[in-house]
mmCIF file of all heavy atoms in Angstrom:
data_model
loop_
_atom_site.group_PDB
_atom_site.id
_atom_site.type_symbol
_atom_site.label_atom_id
_atom_site.label_comp_id
_atom_site.label_asym_id
_atom_site.label_seq_id
_atom_site.Cartn_x
_atom_site.Cartn_y
_atom_site.Cartn_z
ATOM 1 N N LYS A 6 -14.256 34.852 21.610
ATOM 2 C CA LYS A 6 -15.055 33.871 20.871
ATOM 3 C C LYS A 6 -14.996 32.516 21.572
ATOM 4 O O LYS A 6 -14.321 31.587 21.108
ATOM 5 C CB LYS A 6 -14.538 33.741 19.430
ATOM 6 C CG LYS A 6 -14.539 35.029 18.639
ATOM 7 C CD LYS A 6 -15.955 35.521 18.361
ATOM 8 C CE LYS A 6 -15.936 36.807 17.554
ATOM 9 N NZ LYS A 6 -17.307 37.316 17.289
ATOM 10 N N PRO A 7 -15.671 32.352 22.701
ATOM 11 C CA PRO A 7 -15.602 31.087 23.440
ATOM 12 C C PRO A 7 -16.074 29.890 22.636
ATOM 13 O O PRO A 7 -15.579 28.780 22.832
ATOM 14 C CB PRO A 7 -16.500 31.336 24.656
ATOM 15 C CG PRO A 7 -17.368 32.491 24.277
ATOM 16 C CD PRO A 7 -16.549 33.340 23.370
ATOM 17 N N ALA A 8 -17.009 30.089 21.704
ATOM 18 C CA ALA A 8 -17.511 28.963 20.913
ATOM 19 C C ALA A 8 -16.400 28.319 20.090
ATOM 20 O O ALA A 8 -16.405 27.108 19.853
ATOM 21 C CB ALA A 8 -18.636 29.425 19.995
ATOM 22 N N ALA A 9 -15.435 29.120 19.661
ATOM 23 C CA ALA A 9 -14.335 28.592 18.854
ATOM 24 C C ALA A 9 -13.512 27.592 19.638
ATOM 25 O O ALA A 9 -13.054 26.583 19.094
ATOM 26 C CB ALA A 9 -13.450 29.739 18.373
ATOM 27 N N TYR A 10 -13.346 27.830 20.925
ATOM 28 C CA TYR A 10 -12.506 26.945 21.726
ATOM 29 C C TYR A 10 -13.291 25.792 22.328
ATOM 30 O O TYR A 10 -12.711 24.779 22.705
ATOM 31 C CB TYR A 10 -11.723 27.782 22.748
ATOM 32 C CG TYR A 10 -10.727 28.637 22.008
ATOM 33 C CD1 TYR A 10 -11.060 29.932 21.597
ATOM 34 C CD2 TYR A 10 -9.506 28.117 21.612
ATOM 35 C CE1 TYR A 10 -10.172 30.693 20.843
ATOM 36 C CE2 TYR A 10 -8.616 28.864 20.864
ATOM 37 C CZ TYR A 10 -8.952 30.148 20.480
ATOM 38 O OH TYR A 10 -8.089 30.880 19.706
ATOM 39 N N ARG A 11 -14.594 25.911 22.379
ATOM 40 C CA ARG A 11 -15.415 24.727 22.661
ATOM 41 C C ARG A 11 -15.376 23.794 21.458
ATOM 42 O O ARG A 11 -15.328 22.567 21.607
ATOM 43 C CB ARG A 11 -16.859 25.135 22.972
ATOM 44 C CG ARG A 11 -17.037 25.822 24.333
ATOM 45 C CD ARG A 11 -18.501 25.852 24.746
ATOM 46 N NE ARG A 11 -19.304 26.654 23.822
ATOM 47 C CZ ARG A 11 -19.508 27.962 23.950
ATOM 48 N NH1 ARG A 11 -18.948 28.623 24.952
ATOM 49 N NH2 ARG A 11 -20.259 28.619 23.086
ATOM 50 N N TYR A 12 -15.373 24.361 20.264
ATOM 51 C CA TYR A 12 -15.263 23.565 19.036
ATOM 52 C C TYR A 12 -13.950 22.787 19.028
ATOM 53 O O TYR A 12 -13.912 21.613 18.654
ATOM 54 C CB TYR A 12 -15.338 24.494 17.826
ATOM 55 C CG TYR A 12 -15.011 23.827 16.511
ATOM 56 C CD1 TYR A 12 -16.004 23.225 15.746
ATOM 57 C CD2 TYR A 12 -13.699 23.804 16.026
ATOM 58 C CE1 TYR A 12 -15.703 22.613 14.544
ATOM 59 C CE2 TYR A 12 -13.395 23.189 14.826
ATOM 60 C CZ TYR A 12 -14.399 22.602 14.088
ATOM 61 O OH TYR A 12 -14.089 21.987 12.900
ATOM 62 N N LEU A 13 -12.868 23.428 19.448
ATOM 63 C CA LEU A 13 -11.565 22.764 19.506
ATOM 64 C C LEU A 13 -11.640 21.512 20.365
ATOM 65 O O LEU A 13 -11.221 20.422 19.956
ATOM 66 C CB LEU A 13 -10.522 23.725 20.073
ATOM 67 C CG LEU A 13 -9.147 23.121 20.412
ATOM 68 C CD1 LEU A 13 -8.448 22.655 19.147
ATOM 69 C CD2 LEU A 13 -8.289 24.131 21.159
ATOM 70 N N ASN A 14 -12.183 21.651 21.549
ATOM 71 C CA ASN A 14 -12.315 20.512 22.458
ATOM 72 C C ASN A 14 -13.139 19.390 21.833
ATOM 73 O O ASN A 14 -12.760 18.214 21.871
ATOM 74 C CB ASN A 14 -12.939 20.994 23.766
ATOM 75 C CG ASN A 14 -13.562 19.880 24.575
ATOM 76 O OD1 ASN A 14 -14.762 19.897 24.832
ATOM 77 N ND2 ASN A 14 -12.781 18.889 24.955
ATOM 78 N N GLU A 15 -14.269 19.733 21.259
ATOM 79 C CA GLU A 15 -15.177 18.723 20.699
ATOM 80 C C GLU A 15 -14.549 17.964 19.538
ATOM 81 O O GLU A 15 -14.664 16.744 19.432
ATOM 82 C CB GLU A 15 -16.478 19.398 20.256
ATOM 83 C CG GLU A 15 -17.304 19.941 21.421
ATOM 84 C CD GLU A 15 -18.407 20.878 20.959
ATOM 85 O OE1 GLU A 15 -18.472 21.133 19.724
ATOM 86 O OE2 GLU A 15 -19.175 21.367 21.797
ATOM 87 N N THR A 16 -13.869 18.683 18.648
ATOM 88 C CA THR A 16 -13.297 18.018 17.481
ATOM 89 C C THR A 16 -12.105 17.152 17.848
ATOM 90 O O THR A 16 -11.921 16.078 17.267
ATOM 91 C CB THR A 16 -12.873 19.052 16.414
ATOM 92 O OG1 THR A 16 -11.997 20.018 17.002
ATOM 93 C CG2 THR A 16 -14.086 19.750 15.822
ATOM 94 N N VAL A 17 -11.297 17.582 18.783
ATOM 95 C CA VAL A 17 -10.135 16.776 19.176
ATOM 96 C C VAL A 17 -10.572 15.461 19.796
ATOM 97 O O VAL A 17 -10.040 14.391 19.477
ATOM 98 C CB VAL A 17 -9.231 17.561 20.142
ATOM 99 C CG1 VAL A 17 -8.169 16.643 20.759
ATOM 100 C CG2 VAL A 17 -8.566 18.726 19.426
ATOM 101 N N GLU A 18 -11.550 15.510 20.681
ATOM 102 C CA GLU A 18 -11.984 14.285 21.354
ATOM 103 C C GLU A 18 -12.685 13.321 20.407
ATOM 104 O O GLU A 18 -12.708 12.113 20.644
ATOM 105 C CB GLU A 18 -12.893 14.638 22.536
ATOM 106 C CG GLU A 18 -12.154 15.321 23.676
ATOM 107 C CD GLU A 18 -12.962 15.335 24.955
ATOM 108 O OE1 GLU A 18 -13.473 14.268 25.351
ATOM 109 O OE2 GLU A 18 -13.086 16.418 25.557
ATOM 110 N N ALA A 19 -13.272 13.835 19.335
ATOM 111 C CA ALA A 19 -14.011 12.976 18.421
ATOM 112 C C ALA A 19 -13.158 12.426 17.284
ATOM 113 O O ALA A 19 -13.536 11.450 16.639
ATOM 114 C CB ALA A 19 -15.193 13.748 17.825
ATOM 115 N N PHE A 20 -11.997 13.028 17.045
ATOM 116 C CA PHE A 20 -11.221 12.688 15.855
ATOM 117 C C PHE A 20 -10.399 11.414 16.063
ATOM 118 O O PHE A 20 -9.803 11.217 17.120
ATOM 119 C CB PHE A 20 -10.289 13.848 15.508
ATOM 120 C CG PHE A 20 -9.718 13.772 14.127
ATOM 121 C CD1 PHE A 20 -10.514 14.033 13.022
ATOM 122 C CD2 PHE A 20 -8.393 13.431 13.927
ATOM 123 C CE1 PHE A 20 -10.000 13.962 11.738
ATOM 124 C CE2 PHE A 20 -7.869 13.360 12.651
ATOM 125 C CZ PHE A 20 -8.672 13.622 11.556
ATOM 126 N N PRO A 21 -10.334 10.528 15.050
ATOM 127 C CA PRO A 21 -9.523 9.313 15.175
ATOM 128 C C PRO A 21 -8.035 9.655 15.246
ATOM 129 O O PRO A 21 -7.563 10.538 14.526
ATOM 130 C CB PRO A 21 -9.851 8.533 13.896
ATOM 131 C CG PRO A 21 -10.315 9.563 12.924
ATOM 132 C CD PRO A 21 -11.028 10.598 13.751
ATOM 133 N N TYR A 22 -7.319 8.974 16.105
ATOM 134 C CA TYR A 22 -5.896 9.257 16.255
ATOM 135 C C TYR A 22 -5.127 7.947 16.420
ATOM 136 O O TYR A 22 -5.716 6.867 16.524
ATOM 137 C CB TYR A 22 -5.642 10.187 17.451
ATOM 138 C CG TYR A 22 -5.997 9.591 18.794
ATOM 139 C CD1 TYR A 22 -5.022 8.967 19.578
ATOM 140 C CD2 TYR A 22 -7.296 9.629 19.283
ATOM 141 C CE1 TYR A 22 -5.343 8.418 20.809
ATOM 142 C CE2 TYR A 22 -7.624 9.090 20.507
ATOM 143 C CZ TYR A 22 -6.638 8.484 21.271
ATOM 144 O OH TYR A 22 -6.969 7.929 22.479
ATOM 145 N N GLY A 23 -3.819 8.043 16.424
ATOM 146 C CA GLY A 23 -2.992 6.855 16.568
ATOM 147 C C GLY A 23 -3.199 5.882 15.422
ATOM 148 O O GLY A 23 -3.196 6.248 14.252
ATOM 149 N N GLY A 24 -3.401 4.614 15.782
ATOM 150 C CA GLY A 24 -3.567 3.569 14.788
ATOM 151 C C GLY A 24 -4.735 3.796 13.862
ATOM 152 O O GLY A 24 -4.673 3.467 12.666
ATOM 153 N N ALA A 25 -5.812 4.379 14.371
ATOM 154 C CA ALA A 25 -6.996 4.613 13.537
ATOM 155 C C ALA A 25 -6.698 5.607 12.426
ATOM 156 O O ALA A 25 -7.143 5.428 11.279
ATOM 157 C CB ALA A 25 -8.159 5.112 14.395
ATOM 158 N N PHE A 26 -5.933 6.645 12.743
ATOM 159 C CA PHE A 26 -5.612 7.611 11.689
ATOM 160 C C PHE A 26 -4.568 7.045 10.731
ATOM 161 O O PHE A 26 -4.613 7.330 9.526
ATOM 162 C CB PHE A 26 -5.132 8.934 12.280
ATOM 163 C CG PHE A 26 -5.020 10.014 11.242
ATOM 164 C CD1 PHE A 26 -6.154 10.613 10.733
ATOM 165 C CD2 PHE A 26 -3.788 10.395 10.752
ATOM 166 C CE1 PHE A 26 -6.065 11.594 9.746
ATOM 167 C CE2 PHE A 26 -3.688 11.367 9.769
ATOM 168 C CZ PHE A 26 -4.832 11.968 9.264
ATOM 169 N N CYS A 27 -3.646 6.256 11.242
ATOM 170 C CA CYS A 27 -2.676 5.595 10.358
ATOM 171 C C CYS A 27 -3.398 4.727 9.331
ATOM 172 O O CYS A 27 -3.014 4.687 8.146
ATOM 173 C CB CYS A 27 -1.706 4.741 11.175
ATOM 174 S SG CYS A 27 -0.484 5.690 12.112
ATOM 175 N N GLU A 28 -4.451 4.044 9.760
ATOM 176 C CA GLU A 28 -5.239 3.224 8.837
ATOM 177 C C GLU A 28 -5.864 4.081 7.744
ATOM 178 O O GLU A 28 -5.911 3.680 6.573
ATOM 179 C CB GLU A 28 -6.323 2.465 9.597
ATOM 180 C CG GLU A 28 -5.799 1.326 10.457
ATOM 181 C CD GLU A 28 -6.901 0.613 11.202
ATOM 182 O OE1 GLU A 28 -8.089 0.856 10.882
ATOM 183 O OE2 GLU A 28 -6.585 -0.182 12.099
ATOM 184 N N LYS A 29 -6.343 5.257 8.114
ATOM 185 C CA LYS A 29 -6.925 6.158 7.113
ATOM 186 C C LYS A 29 -5.877 6.557 6.071
ATOM 187 O O LYS A 29 -6.159 6.614 4.870
ATOM 188 C CB LYS A 29 -7.495 7.410 7.781
ATOM 189 C CG LYS A 29 -8.873 7.210 8.411
ATOM 190 C CD LYS A 29 -9.434 8.516 8.893
ATOM 191 C CE LYS A 29 -10.909 8.386 9.267
ATOM 192 N NZ LYS A 29 -11.760 8.133 8.087
ATOM 193 N N MET A 30 -4.674 6.849 6.520
ATOM 194 C CA MET A 30 -3.616 7.216 5.593
ATOM 195 C C MET A 30 -3.277 6.053 4.657
ATOM 196 O O MET A 30 -3.081 6.241 3.454
ATOM 197 C CB MET A 30 -2.369 7.679 6.357
ATOM 198 C CG MET A 30 -2.544 8.992 7.095
ATOM 199 S SD MET A 30 -1.003 9.582 7.868
ATOM 200 C CE MET A 30 -0.008 10.001 6.420
ATOM 201 N N GLU A 31 -3.219 4.867 5.217
ATOM 202 C CA GLU A 31 -2.920 3.690 4.394
ATOM 203 C C GLU A 31 -4.027 3.420 3.387
ATOM 204 O O GLU A 31 -3.763 3.089 2.219
ATOM 205 C CB GLU A 31 -2.703 2.482 5.304
ATOM 206 C CG GLU A 31 -1.410 2.571 6.114
ATOM 207 C CD GLU A 31 -1.339 1.547 7.231
ATOM 208 O OE1 GLU A 31 -2.377 0.891 7.502
ATOM 209 O OE2 GLU A 31 -0.257 1.413 7.831
ATOM 210 N N GLN A 32 -5.263 3.592 3.806
ATOM 211 C CA GLN A 32 -6.389 3.391 2.896
ATOM 212 C C GLN A 32 -6.376 4.414 1.763
ATOM 213 O O GLN A 32 -6.839 4.134 0.647
ATOM 214 C CB GLN A 32 -7.708 3.462 3.666
ATOM 215 C CG GLN A 32 -7.936 2.273 4.585
ATOM 216 C CD GLN A 32 -9.061 2.497 5.578
ATOM 217 O OE1 GLN A 32 -9.724 3.536 5.561
ATOM 218 N NE2 GLN A 32 -9.284 1.531 6.460
ATOM 219 N N ALA A 33 -5.849 5.609 2.031
ATOM 220 C CA ALA A 33 -5.757 6.642 1.002
ATOM 221 C C ALA A 33 -4.648 6.341 0.002
ATOM 222 O O ALA A 33 -4.611 6.941 -1.079
ATOM 223 C CB ALA A 33 -5.518 8.001 1.645
ATOM 224 N N GLY A 34 -3.737 5.427 0.371
ATOM 225 C CA GLY A 34 -2.675 5.040 -0.546
ATOM 226 C C GLY A 34 -1.265 5.309 -0.077
ATOM 227 O O GLY A 34 -0.302 5.014 -0.785
ATOM 228 N N PHE A 35 -1.106 5.866 1.125
ATOM 229 C CA PHE A 35 0.236 6.134 1.639
ATOM 230 C C PHE A 35 0.919 4.854 2.086
ATOM 231 O O PHE A 35 0.271 3.922 2.571
ATOM 232 C CB PHE A 35 0.166 7.116 2.812
ATOM 233 C CG PHE A 35 -0.146 8.528 2.405
ATOM 234 C CD1 PHE A 35 -1.428 9.032 2.544
ATOM 235 C CD2 PHE A 35 0.840 9.338 1.875
ATOM 236 C CE1 PHE A 35 -1.731 10.329 2.162
ATOM 237 C CE2 PHE A 35 0.552 10.642 1.490
ATOM 238 C CZ PHE A 35 -0.737 11.133 1.636
#
């Protein structure tokens, strides 16, 4: 299923990480 692992690459590169994701957690109330 090569499409599944192309999806992995696309979602990882697009997803907020580091400080940006920490901000999301704080905004949620953590």
